[in-house]
């Protein structure tokens, strides 16, 4: 039996290609945060947030499009910063590599990803930051 018999189709509010109302910046932030949390597992609590500082599409010398993305990963404690960076930057490099690979698949083009880590101890008390995590 077909579903058409049971309901009426309503108007399409978004293009068929659109599967979220988040911006590309927000999606990039979530991809990077996901990789950080997966790789850090229990070492760093979920007290991280990611902010895209810059996201520009440009053409390289071969006229291929690529995104330049600069992000900052914020954590709540100085001790967490060291864990996120890892010995000689190895953990931050792993986070960046896995995130870049996912971003390239998502955006359909090469990505030049630069990441930094900063401490923001009281970020959970700032409404403008916490709003990013609330579902509408």
């Amino acid at each position: 039996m077909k579903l058409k018999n049971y309901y009426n189709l309503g108007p399409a509010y978004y293009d068929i290609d659109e599967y979220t109302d988040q911006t590309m910046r927000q999606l990039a932030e979530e991809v990077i945060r996901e990789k950080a949390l997966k790789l850090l597992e229990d070492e760093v609590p979920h007290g991280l947030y990611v902010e895209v500082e810059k996201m520009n599409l440009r053409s390289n010398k071969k006229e291929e499009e690529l995104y330049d993305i600069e992000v900052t990963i914020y954590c709540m404690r100085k001790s967490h910063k060291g864990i996120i960076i890892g010995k000689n930057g190895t953990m931050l490099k792993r986070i960046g590599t896995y995130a870049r690979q996912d971003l390239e698949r998502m955006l359909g083009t090469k990505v030049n990803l630069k990441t930094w880590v900063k401490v923001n101890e009281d970020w959970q008390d700032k409404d403008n930051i916490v709003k990013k995590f609330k579902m509408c």
Side-chain angles (χ1 to χ4, degrees):
M1 208 178 288
K2 293 185 178 186
L3 288 176
K4 287 183 182 180
N5 297 336
Y6 295 101
Y7 69 93
N8 293 325
L9 291 176
Y13 293 106
Y14 298 98
D15 289 338
I16 194 130
D17 295 345
E18 292 183 44
Y19 57 91
T20 182
D21 61 348
Q22 291 188 325
T23 66
M24 286 300 201
R25 282 177 175 257
Q26 291 169 317
L27 291 172
E29 290 169 348
E30 283 305 306
V31 165
I32 295 161
R33 185 169 189 267
E34 174 202 10
K35 298 306 174 203
L37 293 174
K38 272 188 173 181
L39 290 169
L40 295 166
E41 295 182 35
D42 298 327
E43 293 185 63
V44 175
H46 294 280
L48 324 162
Y49 78 96
V50 177
E51 192 164 32
V52 171
E53 308 292 337
K54 175 182 157 187
M55 186 170 181
N56 294 327
L57 182 62
R58 68 175 172 92
S59 296
N60 64 12
K61 292 177 184 176
K62 297 178 184 177
E63 296 300 317
E64 301 168 329
E65 286 189 337
L66 68 101
Y67 272 98
D68 288 319
I69 303 174
E70 296 180 11
V71 300
T72 302
I73 300 171
Y74 289 93
C75 58
M76 295 177 64
R77 293 189 175 80
K78 204 172 196 175
S79 60
H80 293 168
K81 181 178 178 178
I83 294 168
I84 295 166
I85 294 171
K87 187 176 182 178
N88 297 321
T90 55
M91 181 55 72
L92 187 58
K93 184 174 181 175
R94 285 180 64 202
I95 292 167
T97 298
Y98 291 128
R100 181 185 49 76
Q101 291 169 349
D102 275 9
L103 289 169
E104 286 179 346
R105 279 191 293 275
M106 182 178 78
L107 298 169
T109 188
K110 294 285 186 187
V111 171
N112 175 25
L113 180 63
K114 294 180 182 176
T115 56
W116 289 270
V117 180
K118 293 182 181 177
V119 177
N120 188 348
E121 293 176 355
D122 61 345
W123 72 262
Q124 289 180 325
D125 297 327
K126 296 179 181 174
D127 288 339
N128 62 331
I129 296 170
V130 175
K131 272 196 292 186
K132 293 170 72 172
F133 297 105
K134 290 184 179 179
M135 295 275 195
C136 295

